[in-house]
């Protein structure tokens, strides 16, 4: 019997490996044949094969048909139609977009030195310096010499087993990004179309030739795709094939010297596979130039995860003369600088110093307790999705784990993790925490996180539907298994249990009954656990805010899920482009709700944290501090910067600010209040912007360093555009005033806080031919919204600098503080 239905692909990146894997798992539960046909390309593929599905080249908005033929085709058609309509759209999300290269402003402090720059496409940010080395590629065709014998099937299976073992080991020990990408490679070598394609050729071909033939066929299919994302999967096919070839014929490469780095290096390669990248010494790898890679290449994704600056679109022939010589790769500007002069090297060395200073400035706070300027402490914790992230989170300064999203353990697999697997993950995080608190959220499954093997029902509005704690009664054994694993792991650290999507007292009481049952079972089995383990809830359903006092009688702590709470409170789906503009956690309603929860919980002696994107928003941080939260949690890379920012915040002032914000009528009023506070917090002249005995070698370096420092001090969000504004003023006429002084200046929209920067040089430099040498620079970068402040300060300085006594007093000042005092006294800032 034959059935079919049509649908339009709504996945932003089309059907690539991950959504194909989801669809394949759904199809495999049926015996009938299922074929997907893409009507744009007329390509058809077996829906029970990941590679066959990817080979259909199905992109966003393509019209497709699923055809079913066999004994259970009617049931399969009904089930898959529901799945395609309700769950399949959630299998993927839009890729992160990088800034348009056309927006890049190359700084005059570099261009004025006439550098030899090769422009590339920015893929992973950062600046690196090292010797340019070319990585030659292994030609898979050299394996084609292998002769056919009677053991080909065994040879292939042994090679596949060896590679699978290696990949599984990487999945077990690797970072989150390594796990995701390696899992995709594992899916390829376990794919039926790949295996069947090779096995069908082994009767008359060697394993090598069979693998190569299948590799070429699959690559040709992908290379014809209209999607750059799918075309970039060619490298993954080649990577897996090369690993299989090497495992099947380990002696072929014996005479080839393995590529390794001997010194800090910038590596240029035509193609670099993910496994080759992982094999490079990251301590010596300072940058990558990948000739043909795109932003969605798995190698590039890994480069971002390892903070390796990366460019593409540069051919080896463009920089042959630079091989084995020092070069600079600036992936902020999108350039490779070859044959650098002393001045060009000076620019990039200064840029690296500025970048490292910012990183060090933030990292020095990483392992300090998060404290405000007036001594108020607030815990800054990390949000993680898998156990391997824990060690890195604590290395970056996490004071605890504010949210361990355990549902990630249940996703992208054919069956739920058993008790032992879960126990090992929870224990790993608690061990890494070394006594710090770890909040383990029980599985938030359903809604926008469907799990194939649970076969949850179709829903019109999954965000408000059958999800999280609401599914626990149906899957009670699954819930008990998770509670058992958490309790067993609790003896290895300070674990806390948090329940998601709670909306009533009845629900939490039911959860407590189940927790007590599991505790009794463990006690009867003489299995140790923390008998005093704390139980808390996610505050994400608005109804909870009105009965927090009642919940205080039931639980030990609360954690506000700012993302879901905002969208539920405002009735706004933040993923719906039509209404997402209404989603804003600065809404007075949200702030008042926050106040209600924290105030009531504290009145009953309960702890309140906040997890979600809001915790890492520097603009909103004073409000969160003022609200009296005990903890905020965020992604690990944002922890050090948040701790650094906290040192500039006064708790008492923040309490007043939060009270004022709660009285605002509109979001615009709240934002204006925050902007006013920012302006007040940043004086125009501070010692961090004053340099004594500065070693700047030329005018370009002065402006680069002073503007770059404003970025470090958080006074500008775009140092390149601000510097461009400074140079635009210089182009009108020289800002040298004579007597060794210069006042470069600009009135710019790119300066967040109006600032005066000062550099007293240890050696004079040539400023302009008509103004002579300069040893004292006072740079004015003033905000456009500050009225006539720009000309008032400039005129005041110019008048004072006419007097030798004023000039001498500035030169003779022994410290930045002394320089500031003289200017404030004489100019009246």
């Amino acid at each position: 019997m034959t059935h079919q239905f049509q649908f339009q692909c709504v996945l932003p990146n089309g059907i690539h490996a991950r959504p194909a894997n989801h669809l394949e798992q759904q199809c495999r539960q049926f015996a009938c044949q299922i074929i997907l046909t893409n009507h744009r390309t007329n390509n058809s593929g077996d829906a029970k094969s990941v590679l066959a599905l990817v080979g259909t080249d199905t992109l966003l908005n393509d019209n497709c048909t699923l055809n079913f033929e066999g004994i259970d085709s009617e049931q399969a058609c009904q089930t898959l139609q529901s799945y395609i309509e309700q769950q399949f759209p959630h299998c993927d999300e839009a890729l992160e977009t990088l800034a348009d290269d056309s927006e890049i402003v190359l700084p005059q402090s570099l261009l004025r030195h006439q550098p030899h720059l090769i422009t590339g496409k920015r893929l992973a940010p950062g600046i690196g310096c090292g010797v340019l080395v070319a990585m030659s590629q292994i030609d898979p065709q050299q394996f084609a010499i292998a002769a056919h014998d009677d053991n080909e099937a065994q040879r292939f299976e042994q090679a596949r087993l060896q590679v699978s073992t290696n990949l599984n080991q990487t999945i077990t020990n690797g970072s989150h990004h390594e796990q995701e990408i390696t899992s995709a490679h594992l899916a390829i070598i376990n794919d039926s179309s790949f295996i069947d394609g090779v096995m069908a050729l082994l009767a008359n071909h060697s394993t090598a030739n069979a693998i190569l033939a299948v590799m070429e066929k699959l690559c040709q299919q992908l290379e014809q795709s209209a999607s750059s994302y799918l075309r970039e999967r060619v490298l993954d096919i080649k990577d897996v094939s090369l690993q299989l070839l090497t495992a099947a014929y380990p002696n072929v490469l014996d005479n080839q010297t393995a590529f390794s780095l001997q010194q800090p290096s910038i590596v240029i390669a035509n193609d670099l596979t993910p496994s080759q990248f992982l094999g490079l010494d990251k301590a010596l790898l300072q940058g990558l130039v990948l000739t043909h890679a795109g932003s969605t290449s798995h190698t590039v994704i890994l480069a971002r995860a390892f903070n390796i600056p990366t460019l593409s679109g540069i051919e080896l022939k463009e920089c042959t003369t630079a091989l084995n010589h020092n070069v600079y790769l600036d992936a902020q500007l999108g350039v490779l600088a070859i044959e650098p002069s002393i001045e060009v090297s000076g620019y990039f060395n200064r840029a690296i110093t500025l970048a490292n200073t910012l990183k060090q400035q933030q990292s020095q706070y990483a392992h300090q307790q998060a404290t405000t300027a007036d001594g108020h402490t607030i815990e800054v914790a990390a949000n993680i999705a898998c156990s391997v992230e824990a060690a890195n989170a604590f290395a970056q300064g996490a004071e605890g784990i504010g949210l361990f999203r355990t549902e990630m353990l249940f996703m992208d697999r054919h069956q739920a993790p058993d008790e032992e697997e879960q126990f090992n993950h929870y224990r790993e995080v608690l061990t890494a925490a070394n006594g710090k608190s770890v909040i383990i959220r029980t599985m938030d499954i359903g809604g926008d996180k469907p799990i194939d093997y649970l076969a949850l029902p179709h829903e019109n509005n999954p965000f408000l539907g059958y999800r999280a704690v609401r599914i626990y009664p149906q899957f009670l054994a699954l819930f008990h298994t998770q509670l058992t694993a958490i309790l067993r792991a609790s003896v290895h650290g300070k674990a806390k249990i948090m329940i998601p999507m709670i909306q009533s007292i009845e629900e939490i009481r039911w959860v407590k009954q189940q927790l007590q049952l599991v505790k009794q079972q463990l006690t009867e089995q003489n299995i140790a656990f923390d008998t005093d383990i704390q139980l808390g809830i996610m505050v994400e359903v608005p109804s909870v805010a009105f009965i927090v006092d009642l919940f205080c009688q039931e639980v030990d702590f609360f954690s506000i899920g700012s993302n879901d709470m905002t969208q539920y409170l405002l009735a706004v789906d933040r993923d719906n482009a039509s209404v997402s503009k209404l989603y804003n956690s600065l809404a007075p309603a949200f702030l008042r709700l926050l106040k209600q929860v924290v105030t009531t919980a504290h009145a009953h002696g309960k702890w309140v944290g906040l997890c979600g994107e809001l915790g890492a928003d520097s603009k909103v941080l004073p409000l969160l501090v003022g609200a009296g939260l005990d903890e905020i949690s965020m992604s690990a890379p944002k922890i050090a910067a948040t701790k650094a920012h906290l040192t500039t915040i006064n708790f008492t002032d923040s309490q007043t600010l939060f009270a004022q914000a709660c009285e605002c009528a509109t979001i615009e009023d709240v934002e204006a209040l925050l902007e006013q506070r920012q302006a007040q917090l940043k004086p125009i002249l501070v010692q961090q912007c004053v340099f004594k005995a500065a070693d700047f070698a030329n005018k370009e370096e002065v402006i680069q360093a002073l503007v770059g420092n404003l970025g470090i001090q958080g006074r500008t969000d775009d140092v390149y555009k601000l510097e461009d504004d400074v140079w635009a003023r210089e182009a009108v006429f020289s800002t040298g005033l004579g007597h060794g002084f210069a006042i470069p200046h600009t009135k710019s929209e790119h300066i967040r806080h109006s600032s005066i920067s000062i550099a007293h040089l240890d050696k004079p430099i040539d400023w302009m031919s008509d103004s002579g040498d300069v040893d004292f620079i006072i740079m004015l970068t003033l905000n456009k919204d500050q009225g006539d402040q720009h000309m008032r300060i400039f005129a005041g300085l110019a008048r004072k600098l006419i007097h030798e006594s004023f000039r001498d007093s500035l030169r003779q000042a022994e410290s930045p503080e002394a320089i500031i005092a003289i200017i404030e006294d004489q100019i009246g800032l």
Side-chain angles (χ1 to χ4, degrees):
M1 187 173 291
T2 300
H3 294 81
Q4 68 175 34
F5 70 87
Q6 294 187 351
F7 68 96
Q8 186 177 59
C9 178
V10 297
L11 300 177
N13 308 305
I15 300 181
H16 60 91
R18 181 170 177 175
N21 187 45
H22 282 277
L23 181 55
E24 179 249 7
Q25 290 178 27
Q26 287 292 316
C27 294
R28 280 197 173 277
Q29 59 186 309
F30 301 102
C32 63
Q33 182 186 58
I34 307 176
I35 300 296
L36 185 145
T37 300
N38 181 345
H39 296 296
R40 176 181 60 83
T41 63
N42 290 321
N43 291 343
S44 295
D46 181 1
K48 297 180 182 179
S49 164
V50 171
L51 288 173
L53 285 169
V54 173
T56 63
D57 191 22
T58 300
L59 307 181
L60 176 66
N61 296 326
D62 279 355
N63 292 312
C64 302
T65 297
L66 271 177
N67 292 277
F68 305 82
E69 185 170 351
I71 55 174
D72 56 358
S73 59
E74 183 177 4
Q75 180 186 357
C77 183
Q78 292 175 352
T79 302
L80 265 296
Q81 185 166 5
S82 176
Y83 172 79
I84 290 290
E85 292 173 353
Q86 302 302 324
Q87 298 184 42
F88 197 48
H90 302 293
C91 290
D92 195 26
E93 57 187 15
L95 293 165
E96 176 184 358
T97 57
L98 299 177
D100 187 350
D101 286 344
S102 63
E103 298 176 1
I104 298 174
V105 177
L106 292 177
Q108 287 295 314
S109 53
L110 171 62
L111 295 180
R112 288 164 64 95
H113 296 310
Q114 299 182 329
H116 187 168
L117 303 178
I118 303 174
T119 302
K121 179 177 177 59
R122 301 175 298 161
L123 297 180
I127 307 174
C129 173
V131 172
L132 184 66
V133 293
M135 184 172 181
S136 58
Q137 305 301 302
I138 298 174
D139 184 3
Q141 294 301 323
Q142 63 187 298
F143 290 89
I145 61 173
H148 176 269
D149 61 34
D150 295 333
N151 299 316
E152 297 302 338
Q154 181 181 0
R155 190 195 312 276
F156 174 61
E157 281 304 316
Q158 287 178 342
R160 203 166 66 86
L161 177 61
Q162 179 181 330
V163 175
S164 295
T165 301
N166 293 339
L167 293 176
N168 277 311
Q169 186 174 358
T170 301
I171 292 171
T172 301
N173 300 323
S175 67
H176 177 61
H177 288 91
E178 288 177 272
Q179 288 181 323
E180 285 189 340
I181 291 166
T182 306
S183 294
H185 287 187
L186 188 61
I188 291 173
I189 66 170
N190 288 328
D191 187 87
S192 59
S193 64
F194 186 87
I195 296 172
D196 294 346
V198 173
M199 294 296 290
L201 296 173
L202 292 181
N204 300 307
H205 297 79
S206 67
T207 297
N209 287 327
I211 292 173
L212 288 170
V214 173
M215 179 190 78
E216 290 298 327
K217 178 182 177 182
L218 293 172
C219 289
Q220 285 176 8
Q221 287 180 339
L222 292 176
E223 285 169 344
Q224 293 171 5
S225 172
S227 165
S228 61
Y229 186 93
L230 294 179
R231 291 196 299 273
E232 286 174 1
R233 301 288 75 80
V234 166
L235 200 57
D236 295 297
I237 300 293
K238 291 182 177 179
D239 193 347
V240 168
S241 300
L242 188 57
Q243 291 180 63
L244 287 169
L245 290 167
T246 304
Y249 303 94
N251 298 325
V252 170
L253 302 179
D254 278 352
N255 297 325
Q256 297 185 27
T257 304
F259 181 85
S260 63
L261 302 179
Q262 306 300 319
Q263 57 189 321
S265 303
I266 305 294
V267 172
I268 182 169
N270 184 30
D271 288 321
L272 188 68
T273 67
S275 60
Q276 288 172 328
F277 173 85
L278 293 173
L280 295 174
D281 185 344
K282 307 306 182 299
L284 296 175
L285 181 61
Q286 302 300 303
L288 283 177
V289 180
L290 302 174
T291 304
H292 300 301
S295 60
T296 60
S297 158
H298 280 166
T299 301
V300 172
I301 292 171
L302 286 171
R304 291 190 195 123
F306 282 91
N307 297 314
I308 304 297
T310 305
L311 296 177
S312 72
I314 297 176
E315 300 285 346
L316 179 59
K317 62 184 179 182
E318 296 181 75
C319 44
T320 304
T321 58
L323 286 175
N324 303 316
H325 290 85
N326 218 47
V327 299
Y328 292 90
L329 187 155
D330 190 330
Q332 309 295 119
L333 298 176
V335 297
L336 180 71
I338 66 174
E339 303 170 359
S341 64
I342 294 175
E343 292 78 15
V344 170
S345 294
Y347 168 85
F348 284 109
N349 290 336
R350 180 69 62 181
I352 291 171
T353 298
L354 288 167
N356 289 339
T357 299
L358 178 60
K359 183 178 179 180
Q360 291 168 5
Q361 177 176 294
Q362 294 177 346
S363 65
Q364 69 177 320
Y365 295 97
H367 299 290
Q368 296 181 15
Q369 186 177 38
T371 308
T372 63
D374 53 347
H376 176 75
T377 59
I378 177 171
E379 183 179 326
V380 179
N383 299 331
I384 63 172
C386 57
S387 56
V388 295
E389 294 181 79
N392 180 58
F394 289 111
Q396 296 195 59
E399 297 176 348
I401 299 298
L403 175 62
F404 181 1
R405 300 182 180 93
T406 62
E407 59 272 8
M408 299 305 174
L409 299 176
F410 295 78
M411 299 177 72
D412 296 328
R413 55 193 300 158
H414 296 285
Q415 60 185 15
D418 61 21
E419 178 187 319
E420 199 64 25
E421 181 181 349
Q422 291 188 60
F423 164 73
N424 288 328
H425 280 285
Y426 305 147
R427 180 183 60 182
E428 182 181 346
V429 176
L430 288 164
T431 301
N434 194 26
K436 296 183 177 72
S437 171
V438 175
I439 297 177
I440 303 174
R441 185 177 72 182
T442 53
M443 51 189 179
D444 186 4
I445 290 170
D448 60 332
K449 305 184 190 89
I451 301 295
D452 299 332
Y453 51 83
L454 296 185
L456 293 171
H458 152 68
E459 296 182 277
N460 290 327
N461 193 338
F463 288 98
L464 297 179
Y466 195 47
R467 57 175 289 196
V469 70
R470 300 172 181 182
I471 74 168
Y472 294 176
Q474 179 182 350
F475 302 100
L476 191 58
L478 196 64
F479 182 44
H480 280 188
T481 297
Q482 182 169 40
L483 291 178
T484 302
I486 294 173
L487 287 170
R488 285 178 55 202
S490 67
V491 298
H492 295 279
K494 189 178 179 181
K496 298 180 180 180
I497 299 174
M498 182 164 67
I499 311 299
M501 205 62 182
I502 289 286
Q503 60 90 23
S504 69
I505 296 295
E506 292 89 342
E507 283 178 330
I508 195 60
R509 286 179 177 173
W510 179 85
V511 168
K512 291 171 69 176
Q513 290 173 357
Q514 305 312 309
L515 181 59
Q516 189 58 37
L517 285 173
V518 174
K519 286 182 176 180
Q520 289 175 357
Q521 292 172 359
L522 289 175
T523 301
E524 292 169 0
Q525 298 170 31
N526 293 318
I527 297 176
F529 63 91
D530 179 5
T531 57
D532 297 321
I533 191 169
Q534 291 192 7
L535 176 68
I537 65 169
M538 285 279 287
V539 181
E540 49 194 336
V541 180
S543 62
V544 172
F546 299 98
I547 51 173
V548 171
D549 57 331
L550 301 179
F551 273 104
C552 287
Q553 312 306 315
E554 307 289 342
V555 301
D556 301 298
F557 68 91
F558 302 90
S559 183
I560 299 169
S562 61
N563 301 339
D564 277 347
M565 176 61 90
T566 300
Q567 72 172 352
Y568 290 149
L569 178 67
L570 303 180
V572 173
D573 179 357
R574 56 198 166 109
D575 295 323
N576 183 333
S578 299
V579 296
S580 58
K581 62 185 178 185
L582 302 175
Y583 175 90
N584 193 321
S585 296
L586 290 181
F590 177 84
L591 299 178
R592 289 191 176 194
L593 182 142
L594 178 62
K595 178 182 179 181
Q596 165 73 11
V597 173
V598 175
T599 302
T600 307
H602 283 178
H604 290 78
K606 301 298 182 179
W607 179 98
V608 185
L610 180 142
C611 57
E613 299 170 7
L614 195 65
D617 189 330
S618 60
K619 180 176 69 173
V620 183
L621 187 58
L623 290 179
L624 303 182
V625 172
L629 287 163
D630 300 292
E631 176 249 35
I632 51 176
S633 61
M634 61 201 65
S635 62
K638 298 177 180 178
I639 289 174
T642 299
K643 286 186 175 183
H645 190 195
L646 278 169
T647 63
T648 68
I649 295 174
N650 183 283
F651 176 56
T652 303
D653 293 343
S654 294
Q655 287 179 303
T656 302
L657 180 73
F658 181 68
Q660 292 172 337
C662 287
E663 296 303 314
C664 288
T666 67
I667 293 171
E668 186 178 40
D669 291 342
V670 176
E671 291 177 335
L673 187 66
L674 293 178
E675 290 294 333
Q676 181 183 1
R677 174 194 172 276
Q678 281 190 330
Q680 294 171 347
L681 280 181
K682 296 278 189 180
I684 193 170
L685 182 56
V686 295
Q687 59 178 312
Q688 290 86 353
C689 294
V690 180
F691 297 84
K692 282 284 295 178
D695 63 346
F696 308 141
N698 49 58
K699 179 178 181 178
E700 291 77 17
E701 195 168 329
V702 169
I703 293 178
Q704 177 197 9
L706 294 184
V707 174
N709 180 63
L710 292 173
I712 292 172
Q713 303 305 325
R715 291 172 171 263
T716 177
D717 294 322
D718 195 323
V719 293
Y720 299 126
K721 290 182 179 178
L722 178 59
E723 183 183 321
D724 201 47
D725 289 342
V726 173
W727 281 108
R729 190 67 188 83
E730 288 291 307
V732 177
F733 61 82
S734 172
T735 54
L737 300 181
H739 306 292
F741 278 78
I743 311 181
H745 55 279
T746 185
K747 193 174 183 180
S748 171
E749 63 180 335
H750 301 298
I751 186 75
R752 188 196 302 173
H753 304 283
S754 291
S755 305
I756 298 176
S757 303
I758 297 173
H760 186 191
L761 309 184
D762 55 2
K763 295 179 181 178
I765 60 172
D766 179 32
W767 194 258
M768 276 295 274
S769 58
D770 60 348
S771 56
D773 288 348
V774 163
D775 70 334
F776 209 104
I777 299 97
I778 305 174
M779 185 176 77
L780 311 180
T781 46
L782 305 178
N783 190 282
K784 279 190 173 182
D785 297 329
Q786 298 297 313
D788 63 351
Q789 184 188 39
H790 171 266
M791 290 309 300
R792 182 175 59 82
I793 295 176
F794 180 84
L797 280 170
R799 285 195 300 270
K800 288 293 181 181
L801 287 171
I802 294 174
H803 304 289
E804 183 177 1
S805 58
F806 180 68
R807 299 195 302 269
D808 290 344
S809 66
L810 289 176
R811 286 195 173 100
Q812 293 166 10
E814 295 182 354
S815 66
E817 294 88 343
I819 292 175
I820 291 172
I822 293 169
I823 291 179
E824 287 181 338
D825 177 64
Q826 295 294 314
I827 306 300
L829 295 177

